[in-house]
Amino acid sequence: MDGTQISMGAAAAPYYLPQGDEVQVFQAAAARRLPVLLKGPTGCGKTRFVAAMAHRLGRPLYTVACHDDLSAADLIGRWLLKGGETVWVDGPLTRAVRQGAICYLDEVVEARKDVTVVLHPLTDDRRILPIDRTGEELQAHPDFLLVASYNPGYQNILKTLKPSTRQRFVALEFGFPRPEHEIPVVARESGLAEDRVQPLVRLAGKLRAMKGQDLEEGISTRLVVYCAGLVAGGMPVERAIRVAMIEPLTDDPDVKAGLHDLVTAVIG
Amino acid sequence: MDGTQISMGAAAAPYYLPQGDEVQVFQAAAARRLPVLLKGPTGCGKTRFVAAMAHRLGRPLYTVACHDDLSAADLIGRWLLKGGETVWVDGPLTRAVRQGAICYLDEVVEARKDVTVVLHPLTDDRRILPIDRTGEELQAHPDFLLVASYNPGYQNILKTLKPSTRQRFVALEFGFPRPEHEIPVVARESGLAEDRVQPLVRLAGKLRAMKGQDLEEGISTRLVVYCAGLVAGGMPVERAIRVAMIEPLTDDPDVKAGLHDLVTAVIG
Amino acid sequence: MDGTQISMGAAAAPYYLPQGDEVQVFQAAAARRLPVLLKGPTGCGKTRFVAAMAHRLGRPLYTVACHDDLSAADLIGRWLLKGGETVWVDGPLTRAVRQGAICYLDEVVEARKDVTVVLHPLTDDRRILPIDRTGEELQAHPDFLLVASYNPGYQNILKTLKPSTRQRFVALEFGFPRPEHEIPVVARESGLAEDRVQPLVRLAGKLRAMKGQDLEEGISTRLVVYCAGLVAGGMPVERAIRVAMIEPLTDDPDVKAGLHDLVTAVIG
Amino acid sequence: MDGTQISMGAAAAPYYLPQGDEVQVFQAAAARRLPVLLKGPTGCGKTRFVAAMAHRLGRPLYTVACHDDLSAADLIGRWLLKGGETVWVDGPLTRAVRQGAICYLDEVVEARKDVTVVLHPLTDDRRILPIDRTGEELQAHPDFLLVASYNPGYQNILKTLKPSTRQRFVALEFGFPRPEHEIPVVARESGLAEDRVQPLVRLAGKLRAMKGQDLEEGISTRLVVYCAGLVAGGMPVERAIRVAMIEPLTDDPDVKAGLHDLVTAVIG
Amino acid sequence: MDGTQISMGAAAAPYYLPQGDEVQVFQAAAARRLPVLLKGPTGCGKTRFVAAMAHRLGRPLYTVACHDDLSAADLIGRWLLKGGETVWVDGPLTRAVRQGAICYLDEVVEARKDVTVVLHPLTDDRRILPIDRTGEELQAHPDFLLVASYNPGYQNILKTLKPSTRQRFVALEFGFPRPEHEIPVVARESGLAEDRVQPLVRLAGKLRAMKGQDLEEGISTRLVVYCAGLVAGGMPVERAIRVAMIEPLTDDPDVKAGLHDLVTAVIG
Amino acid sequence: MDGTQISMGAAAAPYYLPQGDEVQVFQAAAARRLPVLLKGPTGCGKTRFVAAMAHRLGRPLYTVACHDDLSAADLIGRWLLKGGETVWVDGPLTRAVRQGAICYLDEVVEARKDVTVVLHPLTDDRRILPIDRTGEELQAHPDFLLVASYNPGYQNILKTLKPSTRQRFVALEFGFPRPEHEIPVVARESGLAEDRVQPLVRLAGKLRAMKGQDLEEGISTRLVVYCAGLVAGGMPVERAIRVAMIEPLTDDPDVKAGLHDLVTAVIG
């Protein structure tokens, strides 16, 4: 299973500006050891939020980006051949269960079905992780916390969380940050002054309002940061908007033309 | 096969409040060694019931959460390479057959077709489990009992039990508990006083009545316990309902708005 | 290949009450070494019939429950690694061919296509089983007999026997036993007196008449035995009918209500 | 690859009664080393014809029953592990190519696509079989002959011979034998007198005329032999017709009733 | 990868009668090291043409018949276990790249998608073949030439060459030879006198004109040679036409009847 | 993973004539370590552009041609058995991450889903590549740059970049070069004088205007170079246009006839 990221809570605190009471809700769920489901569009800050909460709670964080081929063994572990010996190697979920870490399953609906089954005994009152291949049955560390995310905007009928899985989580809905939150974030990350960031964030708001009509998905804060960074590096604003805020969103010439008009109207 | 859970009947008795004569029917089936099929929605207490019956009968319990990739070998066992030796490792079904335990196949319709075939000689008068890979043919322990569950609410046409499998079980239908049963359960599990639990259970009843219209599935008792626990921990009731009883059920903004009105009407 | 059952003809004679001349036809086919195909619904006694005939003919019986993943190698055999040595292990068909046993392929249409191909040279005048992996070409023992079954009631368009396979069998059609046959069978297996079994068998007849309308499949004698056994163990008749003769047949609330009325009318 | 049959031309001559000039055409094709394609319905005698021709030409015969999972390696050969050594084992096609045998691919359209590709260099003027895994490139023995069969009656759109494969064969069409040919064949194989065989063959002719309307496929000579054999063994004619000539053809109650009337009309 | 053929340019020159300037175009492409794509129907002489060009240019020829399961490893090579050692074995493409041979991919659209990707760096100005599994990056020999063929007449929507692959080839269109070319070819290959070949070639022309209406594909020169050969061997003309020019083309009784009339009209 | 190409920045500078400010945008993105997505039709120069930029930035370039079967392990690396030892072999992405190279994923939408997941932690602010199989977590070299390309003209609904992947790139749109750019390129690569190249480029422009109507894709500069090269080698212009600019584009006789008229009109 490649794509797992491990970050220790002791590292520098990730920059995260709360949008509402999500920090309090997460802490309350963590206090009662309830699994947490983060719902929201691409690039609205879910991953950053989990990193910030892991730091605040002082727990290691294992992030697993889920995909079509992610299987239970990828999460739990495998026997590997190393130097002629078979060695058991814990997967990220097992490591989190042992250490009392947060295990974050990003875009959990993308994983294979057998993954969700592994989560069931971990998310009821028993909090156990059976590992048949080693004969172990792990009792989760008291600090172990399961967090998952998904994007309800994708209309993938074939891939949804089954109610029997979904009803094991407390769920938090995320949206894009409000301008007064997004402007300082973009300015901080890009190095561009807030007054120059402001029209880019205004444009982002207009683009997000087009989701479901001309655009498949609203624009992420990340792309606004890219755009502001290019401007800070000397690129003309309209060109930076083109390469960082329009071309990554669409291939349709008509939509691009419409967005160009929008840019002119907003940026001037 | 990861996801199997083993619990010994000697552990502390699971808390289970019977809804009707299901305990008597289960005991009668066990006395005659008839396989039992539990039918009912997510989170209505089927798993807890099996755990309680295993304790009452004093038998170990092997729980297998079935899924798309669960094969016969996952249930029966495998040759594994350990330290240069090939070692046979019994699967959970084989262990249950040998020890006289209960083997509980949760959501059995999710398993692969070859799994149901394995069950056939175990569920007729011969009660045998042939293991071709070891050459053994096990006669089931007199106390071995097969229990399976499934959720008839899922409209998955591709996945149903074939009549030739289904007609090997005595079947019990489960529903959500009546309020007078659910309130003490939620209060006991969450630590919230019964009078404060009462409106949450009333709301759950309203939500369950919406199943098939706006909601795919009725709300589980588990989520009501989550909600009550968050309230017991100091979260405002409406916020706890939102994160534990509405967001886990639906992503649809219109449905959420309707549920919000319902909450106001019920909770006040 | 797990799920094979071996029974020696020398064991106690299985209880089987003939419905017509099926014993004579089977014996005539066996005398001429013609393969036999048993057609009929779930639980009408096909498997029991084969066991009885194996006993009567004094031949071992290998029963293979066919399924989606059953391949030719599962029937013929495999090289297995045992203690550092590769050892050839005959599959059930090969064992039957060598020993002059009956090989019974239950629900043969469920098997993979390469299985039927293996049967072709065994079912023409040559009666040979070539095993490429060992270089052997077995001439079938004179007593070897191939028997297969399938349920013509399943409307699975994708899975049928090809004419080139089907036209290699003498075929016998089975139905549910007539009441005068079924009542003593149920009484004997359940321990319930015949007069108390009689209304249950009458009800079973009504349920079988509903096949294709409200019920996918008629009720098997097995379930009637279950029901009678629960009644013999002290369960009220209506409750036993519910858990053993209605819930295993359907999940549809309307159908259940209709069946309830039928029960009242038949049982009183 | 299981299912291959090897028969040496030196064995007793298979009984085959020519229907037309098929023996002369086959011999002419063999003389010019042209591949031969036999087209015709199930059980009309194609396999028997090839066996007879192999005997007449004095060449060994390798018969391969093709199916969905038959791959090129099944025909050509494999490296197998035997006693710690890897040993190359020729497949049936390779053996035929080396020895100058006839290789008969029965129902060739059922094989996987890579099989037909293997045949291409063997069926043009080069007559070579390259075996990449051993580094060999075999020049076919002068007596090697490729024969294939298929049943044009199956309407399987997905499985047809590509023109680039098909146009490498001389093709012979087979039908069911005429009564004057079929009666002595059935009498000889079943041991029933010709005058008693005659009405069975007349019935078979009527059943074959129903192909495409009520019956998927005409009845094979094999089943007529089965029926005559059962009659010769003492079974009543109508019962033998039922189990050997009607039940193997159809499961449809209406069709069976119609066939019953037909039997009465023909047999009396 | 079985089915590869290797022929050295030093062998006897294949007989090839040019239809137009295809020899000059091929030589011009080879001189500039441009990949060549041959488009045309089954049996029109593409394979023969490549063999003739390889001989003329004095280069070895590796022919690979592509199919559904042909993968990149089949072309490039594999690690094989031989006598306890892992040995790298070059695939036919790698051998051609090293030796400066022609690699001919027959029916290239049939290959798997990863095959075309391998061709990309070989068909731009870099002319390299990276072999990750050995760590090599081969610079193609100056004489290496890639040739591919496909039949544009097959209407397989799922299998087409992607423009990004197709636009890497110079393309030559082939048709069936004109009578004045085909008659001497058939006479030479079959041993039948030209005046007796002439009506067969005239018939072939009529059959080719029916392509797309009653016949899926025009008749190949190969089949005309078969037919002429059988006539030369003493078979009556009409019978030879039937088995070599009609039965291999169609299974449809109506079409056959029409073709029979055509034969009478043409042959007399 | 075969098909990767490695080129060191120190080699001779690839010839690349900028069409606009793409060099500046690429350099700005590289300076801020932003991933770059190149969008444009087949053969418009994307691959050449990346090679030129790698040379200009003095960084090694790893090019991976993506396809259906390309998996994460192909990019990251594998344990291979070499001489009885298991040796880890870095994939091209890992090598690029370690060395500070450019990794170019050509036609990234063709890759399997798990590939895009690997890219996520490399394309946010952490810039890490976790390699579970070795236990390493690589921090990307400061000079590591990820570049991907795709062709928005293919209407493959099943294969698109998910917004969560796509919104991690700065995107540049490429088109075919304007005549004043293309003519010198073609002249330089083919050796044909610019005045003779000019009508070929004019014809290419006409052909590109037909995209989406009669032609699936516009003609690449590569084919114009092929054509010019054949003319430079002595082939008549119309013949060279036929084999290098028409036959590679279409198989449709009507379209070819139309293109022939177009050629006459443009070339005269």
Side-chain angles (χ1 to χ4, degrees), chain D residues 12 26 64 150:
Chain D
F26 192 99
V64 181
Y150 88 114

Side-chain angles (χ1 to χ4, degrees), chain B residues 220-259:
Chain B
S220 67
T221 299
R222 175 180 292 123
L223 283 183
V224 185
V225 172
Y226 279 11
C227 179
L230 291 173
V231 172
M235 191 178 289
V237 176
E238 286 209 35
R239 187 66 186 144
I241 288 172
R242 179 80 185 208
V243 300
M245 292 179 67
I246 293 182
E247 290 290 344
L249 290 195
T250 184
D251 299 327
D252 186 313
D254 295 338
V255 174
K256 284 189 206 174
L259 296 186

Side-chain angles (χ1 to χ4, degrees), chain E residues 142-223:
Chain E
D143 286 347
F144 167 72
L145 187 67
L146 184 70
V147 183
S149 75
Y150 87 114
N151 182 345
Y154 291 156
Q155 309 282 345
N156 190 335
I157 303 165
L158 290 174
K159 285 196 169 169
T160 54
L161 281 180
K162 289 195 301 179
S164 61
T165 301
R166 192 170 167 147
Q167 294 205 8
R168 291 167 182 276
F169 290 88
V170 163
L172 272 168
E173 192 179 28
F174 280 71
F176 290 111
R178 289 188 300 278
E180 59 270 28
H181 282 101
E182 193 165 26
I183 291 170
V185 168
V186 172
R188 185 181 181 283
E189 305 261 326
S190 68
L192 192 69
E194 289 206 7
D195 63 323
R196 300 186 66 195
V197 167
Q198 194 263 352
L200 302 177
V201 166
R202 195 158 9 109
L203 176 63
K206 302 276 187 195
L207 292 171
R208 287 164 189 160
M210 296 171 70
K211 178 183 164 181
Q213 294 149 30
D214 287 330
L215 296 178
E216 185 187 359
E217 180 80 356
I219 193 170
S220 66
T221 299
R222 175 180 292 123
L223 284 182

Side-chain angles (χ1 to χ4, degrees), chain B residues 82-105:
Chain B
K82 290 193 178 172
E85 296 272 314
T86 51
V87 184
W88 174 262
V89 180
D90 278 347
L93 179 64
T94 304
R95 276 176 268 160
V97 164
R98 287 194 205 272
Q99 300 170 17
I102 295 174
C103 184
Y104 175 46
L105 303 179

